[in-house]
Amino acid sequence: MNLKIAVLGTGSVGQTLAGRLTELGHSVKVGTRDVASTMSRTEPDAMGNAPFATWEAAHVEVQLTTFADAVVDVDVIVNALSGSASLPVLQSIGAQRLADKILLDVANPLDSSKGSPPTLFVKDDDSLGEQIQRAFPDLKVVLADGDHTVFVSGNDSTAKQAVTTLLESFGHTDVIDLGDISTARGTEMLLPIWLRLMGSLNTVMFNFKVVR
Amino acid sequence: MNLKIAVLGTGSVGQTLAGRLTELGHSVKVGTRDVASTMSRTEPDAMGNAPFATWEAAHVEVQLTTFADAVVDVDVIVNALSGSASLPVLQSIGAQRLADKILLDVANPLDSSKGSPPTLFVKDDDSLGEQIQRAFPDLKVVLADGDHTVFVSGNDSTAKQAVTTLLESFGHTDVIDLGDISTARGTEMLLPIWLRLMGSLNTVMFNFKVVR
């Protein structure tokens, strides 16, 4: 099934997802704050990733547009923004444009203002997924995170099934539906050990598997 | 190597660890607040576990004693108390008796006062492991948690090695040293997703494996 998908965010997560979704035959737009500014950057980002224009040159079928234009007439919106940018950007797009679309949320609620490793700006009595769902009650928010085992949280069963199908098309065979959007608390709270494992193992080439 | 070990706590975690350590040839004492009271209970606990006296009858080689007596002349202390009881009980034992012993900490910082699933009484900017270490600077606190992959955190390398050897004698082959006691924040924050997985999978027969 060919879907129309908007990926919000031009960082490495947005690039990776937009590229993979395009390969799978979906029509992908990438949303950014200011198209000219994003395309004019020539320096790698803080993590050493090439500027967006370099990636775009290799993915000419992906249209770069404003956040608000990106979400027009799409089936699925992917939130590949930073955790702190997520709510402000969605608010700038506005509830009317977002309406009852599916939001596949992969943003991490990291707070890097207090040093490294970063802490979270939500704790286990709330989650960024819930904050987005509360701000946009009609939006079908589905948090999905994980690699070996992927954890899915959301209030709308149909939206979760659509996201699960998308994840399976990515090659994921172990997708666990944790329940409603409040279960995003569990998934988001995996970040603290993930950050320590990255420090201890000195690589990001690992992931969590739930062994049953 | 035969070790002298004190297990603090008579609940199911304390019983399981004390039983397994005894099987492995170690000399085990179990500590409780009031020996007569613990032995006089005849009802199962809230989780349906048999009362301690039933377990003790099948493990006569394990001595039940007060918290303070349990830690006298032992090599390793195992904290199998509830998270909220941990600091008060350790304070009742006193810093002098605990001195520079190894504390193998498996307690979970759960707060069940706000409904189910419980939240944590520390968030990712602190951990129960660190609270214990701060309260008893000379104690060699080693947090160990996990099953398929076991995560170990602590400031004292020798104590971590002793605990790792003990874990390996339990049959654990995948033990990851995350770093100093502050890395307990990551391990303790696994609880929120563990609680949701228990609800979603409807079993406790699962665990986390770090796939590299």
Side-chain angles (χ1 to χ4, degrees), chain A residues 78-199:
Chain A
V78 178
N79 178 18
L81 298 160
S82 71
S84 55
S86 297
L87 272 173
V89 167
L90 292 171
Q91 269 144 2
S92 78
I93 295 171
Q96 207 178 342
R97 279 204 186 81
L98 297 171
D100 55 358
K101 292 196 164 72
I102 296 173
L103 181 80
L104 168 48
D105 179 25
V106 300
N108 291 326
L110 295 174
D111 175 5
S112 299
S113 68
K114 290 165 197 150
S116 181
T119 55
L120 304 188
F121 62 74
V122 284
K123 306 304 182 185
D124 72 322
D125 48 6
D126 197 8
S127 62
L128 176 59
E130 287 164 280
Q131 292 182 343
I132 295 172
Q133 185 65 81
R134 281 199 302 272
F136 302 95
D138 296 332
L139 190 64
K140 293 166 181 164
V141 180
V142 180
L143 177 86
D145 204 0
D147 190 342
H148 203 104
T149 298
V150 183
F151 305 106
V152 169
S153 304
N155 294 342
D156 186 285
S157 298
T158 311
K160 275 195 284 197
Q161 191 48 61
V163 164
T164 300
T165 302
L166 205 54
L167 292 167
E168 286 167 353
S169 76
F170 271 58
H172 290 299
T173 55
D174 187 22
V175 179
I176 298 181
D177 181 350
L178 289 178
D180 68 26
I181 191 65
S182 76
T183 60
R185 298 174 191 183
T187 306
E188 292 182 1
M189 299 310 282
L190 280 171
L191 286 163
I193 196 162
W194 199 94
L195 294 164
R196 270 81 186 186
L197 280 167
M198 183 174 67

Side-chain angles (χ1 to χ4, degrees), chain A residues 7-15 30-32 38 41 50 52 64 67 80-81:
Chain A
V7 174
L8 306 182
T10 57
S12 60
V13 175
Q15 289 176 21
V30 171
T32 192
T38 298
R41 286 202 306 266
F52 187 81
L64 183 69
F67 289 129
L81 298 160

Side-chain angles (χ1 to χ4, degrees), chain A residues 118-120 123-125 148 151 176-178 182-183 185-187 189-190 192-193 196-197 200-201 205-212, chain B residues 118-120 123-125 148 151 176-178 182-183 185-187 189-190 192-193 196-197 200-201 205-212:
Chain A
T119 55
L120 304 188
K123 306 304 182 185
D124 72 322
D125 48 6
H148 203 104
F151 305 106
I176 298 181
D177 181 350
L178 289 178
S182 76
T183 60
R185 298 174 191 183
T187 306
M189 299 310 282
L190 280 171
I193 196 162
R196 270 81 186 186
L197 280 167
S200 174
L201 302 175
M205 298 303 289
F206 63 88
N207 48 65
F208 290 108
K209 179 179 164 64
V210 173
V211 183
R212 282 151 282 187
Chain B
T119 54
L120 305 187
K123 306 303 183 184
D124 72 322
D125 48 5
H148 202 106
F151 305 106
I176 298 182
D177 181 350
L178 289 180
S182 78
T183 60
R185 297 174 192 184
T187 304
M189 299 311 280
L190 279 172
I193 196 162
R196 269 80 186 189
L197 280 166
S200 175
L201 302 175
M205 298 302 287
F206 64 85
N207 48 65
F208 291 107
K209 177 177 166 65
V210 174
V211 183
R212 283 150 282 187

Side-chain angles (χ1 to χ4, degrees), chain A residues 14-35:
Chain A
Q15 289 176 21
T16 301
L17 291 175
R20 189 85 182 89
L21 290 164
T22 304
E23 279 170 23
L24 289 167
H26 302 297
S27 303
V28 179
K29 291 186 279 185
V30 171
T32 192
R33 196 176 312 267
D34 181 318
V35 172

